[in-house]
Amino acid sequence: MDMNNSSQDAQAQFFVGIDLGTTNCVLSYRSISEENAPVQVFPIAQLIASGQVQELNQLPSFLYQAHETELAPGTTVLPWTQQPNALVGTIARQMGNKTPMRLVASAKSWLCHGGVDRREAFLPQSGQTDTDDIDKVSPLKATELYLAHLISAWDHQHASAPLAQQQVTITIPASFDPAAKELTAEAARNAGLKQVTLLEEPQAALYSWIDSNNDKWREQVELGDLVLVVDVGGGTTDLSLVSVTEHNGNLDLERIAVGEHILLGGDNMDLALAYRLKMNLAQQGKQLQPWQVQALAHLCRDAKEALLSDSNLTSVPIVVPSRGSKLLGSTLKTELTQQDVQQTLVDGFFPQVAVTEHPVQSTRAALTQLGLPYAQDAAITRHIAAFLTRQNQAQNNHDDSSSFIKPTKVLFNGGVLKSELLSKRLLSTINSWLTTDDSKGISALTGVDLDLAVSRGAAYYGFIRHNITNNNAGVRIRGGIANSYYVGIESAMPAIPGMAPPMEAICVAPFGLEEGSHVQVENQEFGLVIGQPVQFQFYGSNTRREDSVGTHLDFWMPEELEELPEIQMTLDAQQGRNIGDVVVVNLAATVTEIGTLELEAIAKDNGQKWHVEFSVRH
């Protein structure tokens, strides 16, 4: 769903890239009119403390629901307003360190959680009983508020070029499901942005690498190279494979694979460090309440970043918030050490494992607290091993589980991998797999700022997209959708007691179908039930790469197709049709510019059309 139109195009002065990160948001831009204009990062004005405003390259993705007694009148003034609608950014992060039950964090992770209603106001999620005075927001609303702050900050500096009139690209994890993509686009529309395109974060990082190296990027890769993009951010680990190909005699790039959605990143690491300190305190006879562990995780985030950025720093003191209980006294002090960080993060999240060691799925308890569906196995190296093994099977279409696809280059992205300690461990682990397999070692592509690359790459993508549309030079990463998609078809068979009619599947969007494409299922007719409640069952596959539009499956292995949440709806009975009629239809599908799928059923007798948006899970 591309929200551009020609009248707005004429008013746009900038290509803008927005990284809506789990931990930080970044906004970058590039002039449309200047041919060789550089991509620049926009300093975002924000409150850093009560009454203090500062411009920073990053806007922390936090929302704080302050109590009326916490801030004195006039202390939340921003350059563009006396009374902001929400406290977001650095001040929210700082205040939330002390009172975490009022802090909304990880809204992006909740936005892609299909097990909750992402439009329902349930954040901040807290087990506390004394939080009735806190205004709850939905993951969708929190995302809108971050965007609203970015828009206000930009418009204050660019009164003649408001953000709503610019060519905006917003980045999302490559593994975002269609619903999360659509919700991101919806948040942008609700915030007032009219011209929005979505771009996968690993691709954005690669675009930033191309831009920062100019034409010399071709000197770092050669034809046949396979680039593994490893993006470990605040909330997710995003994996992609990009092949270096040739087009019209020039090197070209094609994204050939995307990993599963892995909710594993900096948030998990902060929590792991917090529990390590909690156990240390417990050994001293000091017990923490759940809200204090939550606060400790936020404090560990800052301490972790300090220790990872300075190997000479031995420890960082931490003061745990207290409500003055007799057990704990007025303050509780501890410290996070360099040893804590190395043992917990390096060995816990980046263990040196064999490529045959894949994520371990343990048996879960029947009852669990409602929360984010974090990855059960915290070892990022095991997830990468599984991804490379799975893609080898997908690319070669065989079941050789002992081998893995062998990348020749790696591009790191995400704040976690800024740490040389962690990036070196990850690189050495991948190289150990290749060496054991008698393959050439892998090297890292250089020249990107891991904090800012995604936003910068998104702005550069806007420029590339504009150039290609106007037949100018430009390197665009080709790829299309990262999965094949199928719609379920109920078998026509006599009723059998105790057995539902078996489902078959028709491929309506094959792997790699480019955004903006429209395809038809040729020479096949189906019956469509109208006028009464029905359900559409969709399936996705990231391994069946060879299926074409119309491929008919009446049997598949469980690992081949993933059953996606069904869509329930009632299709209108119009134009003289009756409730319950079965209309003979042909099927067509469109992949929109934001990568979502729209299924179209076309009546054979009169061309009447019904549309099903696969992108939204009801």
Side-chain angles (χ1 to χ4, degrees):
M1 190 184 307
D2 193 5
M3 291 173 270
N4 295 324
N5 63 53
S6 57
S7 63
Q8 291 165 333
D9 250 4
Q11 298 173 343
Q13 298 178 39
F14 298 98
F15 301 113
V16 175
I18 296 177
D19 175 9
L20 277 179
T22 307
T23 308
N24 291 292
C25 300
V26 184
L27 190 154
S28 298
Y29 63 100
R30 187 191 195 279
S31 171
I32 287 180
S33 59
E34 298 177 44
E35 185 175 344
N36 296 315
V39 173
Q40 301 180 68
V41 176
F42 175 70
I44 305 162
Q46 58 194 284
L47 285 160
I48 60 168
S50 179
Q52 299 179 46
V53 175
Q54 189 173 333
E55 292 183 350
L56 302 172
N57 284 342
Q58 296 175 300
L59 176 76
S61 306
F62 297 91
L63 165 67
Y64 188 77
Q65 304 291 57
H67 189 272
E68 58 184 12
T69 61
E70 288 187 273
L71 293 166
T75 59
T76 60
V77 174
L78 286 163
W80 54 87
T81 180
Q82 296 285 318
Q83 188 82 31
N85 292 328
L87 284 179
V88 302
T90 301
I91 190 172
R93 176 171 166 167
Q94 298 294 350
M95 296 181 73
N97 285 347
K98 298 177 182 178
T99 316
M101 67 281 296
R102 292 185 170 273
L103 182 68
V104 175
S106 303
K108 182 177 178 178
S109 297
W110 285 104
L111 196 69
C112 63
H113 185 3
V116 299
D117 182 350
R118 289 159 277 191
R119 291 186 175 85
E120 181 185 345
F122 60 84
L123 297 177
Q125 194 186 48
S126 172
Q128 303 294 310
T129 57
D130 55 347
T131 57
D132 293 341
D133 63 324
I134 299 176
D135 291 331
K136 303 281 187 175
V137 298
S138 67
L140 178 66
K141 183 63 177 178
T143 306
E144 290 174 23
L145 290 172
Y146 302 148
L147 284 168
H149 186 101
L150 294 174
I151 293 168
S152 296
W154 170 275
D155 289 354
H156 180 70
Q157 296 289 337
H158 299 86
S160 61
L163 199 60
Q165 295 177 2
Q166 309 315 306
Q167 294 281 337
V168 178
T169 299
I170 295 177
T171 61
I172 54 173
S175 54
F176 250 19
D177 65 24
K181 290 180 182 180
E182 178 59 38
L183 286 164
T184 304
E186 183 179 333
R189 290 192 297 268
N190 293 347
L193 297 179
K194 301 179 177 65
Q195 305 177 75
V196 171
T197 299
L198 300 187
L199 177 67
E200 296 172 6
E201 288 164 5
Q203 285 197 43
L206 203 54
Y207 276 120
S208 181
W209 170 74
I210 292 171
D211 180 41
S212 63
N213 286 281
N214 298 313
D215 290 336
K216 292 184 177 180
W217 71 267
R218 291 181 172 86
E219 297 175 7
Q220 290 194 46
V221 295
E222 58 187 27
L223 183 64
D225 270 340
L226 193 60
V227 181
L228 170 65
V229 184
V230 181
D231 185 348
V232 185
T236 58
T237 292
D238 221 357
L239 306 173
S240 290
L241 282 171
V242 177
S243 176
V244 181
T245 59
E246 189 177 37
H247 183 66
N248 294 332
N250 295 315
L251 288 184
D252 209 357
L253 299 169
E254 180 181 3
R255 196 263 287 118
I256 62 170
V258 169
E260 297 175 347
H261 191 72
I262 308 170
L263 211 58
L264 176 61
D267 286 354
N268 306 69
M269 298 176 188
D270 301 334
L271 201 57
L273 292 169
Y275 273 95
R276 182 181 179 113
L277 294 186
K278 176 181 182 288
M279 288 188 290
N280 291 345
L281 290 168
Q283 290 173 356
Q284 302 170 25
K286 301 171 182 177
Q287 296 296 326
L288 297 184
Q289 298 177 27
W291 73 270
Q292 288 176 304
V293 178
Q294 196 178 352
L296 195 56
H298 294 303
L299 293 166
C300 281
R301 181 190 301 114
D302 296 332
K304 171 199 71 180
E305 291 172 0
L307 289 163
L308 287 175
S309 62
D310 184 0
S311 59
N312 295 319
L313 190 63
T314 58
S315 64
V316 174
I318 290 179
V319 178
V320 184
S322 173
R323 292 176 178 171
S325 73
K326 293 178 182 178
L327 175 63
L328 296 174
S330 57
T331 60
L332 183 62
K333 297 181 180 179
T334 184
E335 65 177 9
L336 188 69
T337 68
Q338 191 72 242
Q339 184 181 21
D340 291 331
V341 168
Q342 295 205 17
Q343 289 181 350
T344 304
L345 302 192
V346 180
D347 298 332
F349 289 85
F350 297 90
Q352 289 182 307
V353 299
V355 74
T356 53
E357 294 183 49
H358 296 170
V360 177
Q361 299 296 321
S362 57
T363 303
R364 303 188 64 186
L367 296 176
T368 179
Q369 287 187 340
L370 296 177
L372 289 168
Y374 291 115
Q376 284 192 47
D377 194 324
I380 290 171
T381 43
R382 279 198 281 267
H383 286 282
I384 296 173
F387 171 68
L388 296 177
T389 301
R390 189 165 54 248
Q391 293 313 316
N392 183 69
Q393 297 171 29
Q395 299 290 333
N396 297 306
N397 198 27
H398 60 67
D399 296 324
D400 181 8
S401 60
S402 64
S403 189
F404 64 102
I405 199 165
K406 297 163 185 66
T408 55
K409 305 286 182 183
V410 64
L411 178 69
F412 292 140
N413 190 58
V416 168
L417 293 176
K418 281 194 307 180
S419 164
E420 195 172 303
L421 185 70
L422 301 182
S423 59
K424 279 187 173 180
R425 166 58 74 89
L426 183 50
L427 189 63
S428 68
T429 302
I430 297 173
N431 270 323
S432 72
W433 302 339
L434 295 166
T435 302
T436 303
D437 197 71
D438 295 326
S439 299
K440 184 180 177 182
I442 196 171
S443 60
L445 300 177
T446 59
V448 293
D449 184 317
L450 273 65
D451 278 331
L452 310 176
V454 166
S455 171
R456 294 175 62 92
Y460 181 70
Y461 168 76
F463 163 70
I464 289 297
R465 190 165 174 263
H466 176 79
N467 267 6
I468 291 176
T469 301
N470 292 281
N471 297 316
N472 295 325
V475 180
R476 184 168 183 179
I477 302 168
R478 296 180 292 115
I481 57 175
N483 295 281
S484 300
Y485 289 108
Y486 308 76
V487 63
I489 305 294
E490 189 176 276
S491 299
M493 62 176 289
I496 299 175
M499 177 181 172
M503 294 293 284
E504 301 173 3
I506 299 293
C507 180
V508 291
F511 173 84
L513 186 66
E514 294 285 348
E515 285 83 355
S517 300
H518 180 81
V519 293
Q520 290 184 306
V521 179
E522 302 285 357
N523 304 319
Q524 295 189 55
E525 297 175 351
F526 306 93
L528 182 71
V529 180
I530 63 171
Q532 65 186 44
V534 294
Q535 63 187 36
F536 284 86
Q537 181 63 63
F538 286 93
Y539 304 88
S541 174
N542 60 10
T543 59
R544 294 189 64 97
R545 303 285 174 80
E546 306 304 320
D547 289 350
S548 58
V549 178
T551 296
H552 184 177
L553 304 177
D554 55 13
F555 173 80
W556 55 87
M557 298 299 291
E559 64 271 15
E560 287 187 285
L561 297 191
E562 177 190 3
E563 186 173 307
L564 303 172
E566 64 187 27
I567 296 176
Q568 298 181 352
M569 61 192 311
T570 300
L571 302 172
D572 290 338
Q574 298 176 348
Q575 300 186 16
R577 304 189 192 276
N578 300 313
I579 293 175
D581 278 355
V582 178
V583 182
V584 178
V585 298
N586 298 111
L587 296 179
T590 300
V591 178
T592 69
E593 285 288 345
I594 64 169
T596 58
L597 183 67
E598 295 177 354
L599 185 68
E600 184 178 59
I602 308 156
K604 186 179 179 182
D605 56 2
N606 64 0
Q608 185 180 358
K609 296 179 180 180
W610 293 268
H611 292 88
V612 181
E613 287 197 357
F614 166 70
S615 56
V616 181
R617 295 173 177 173
H618 296 290

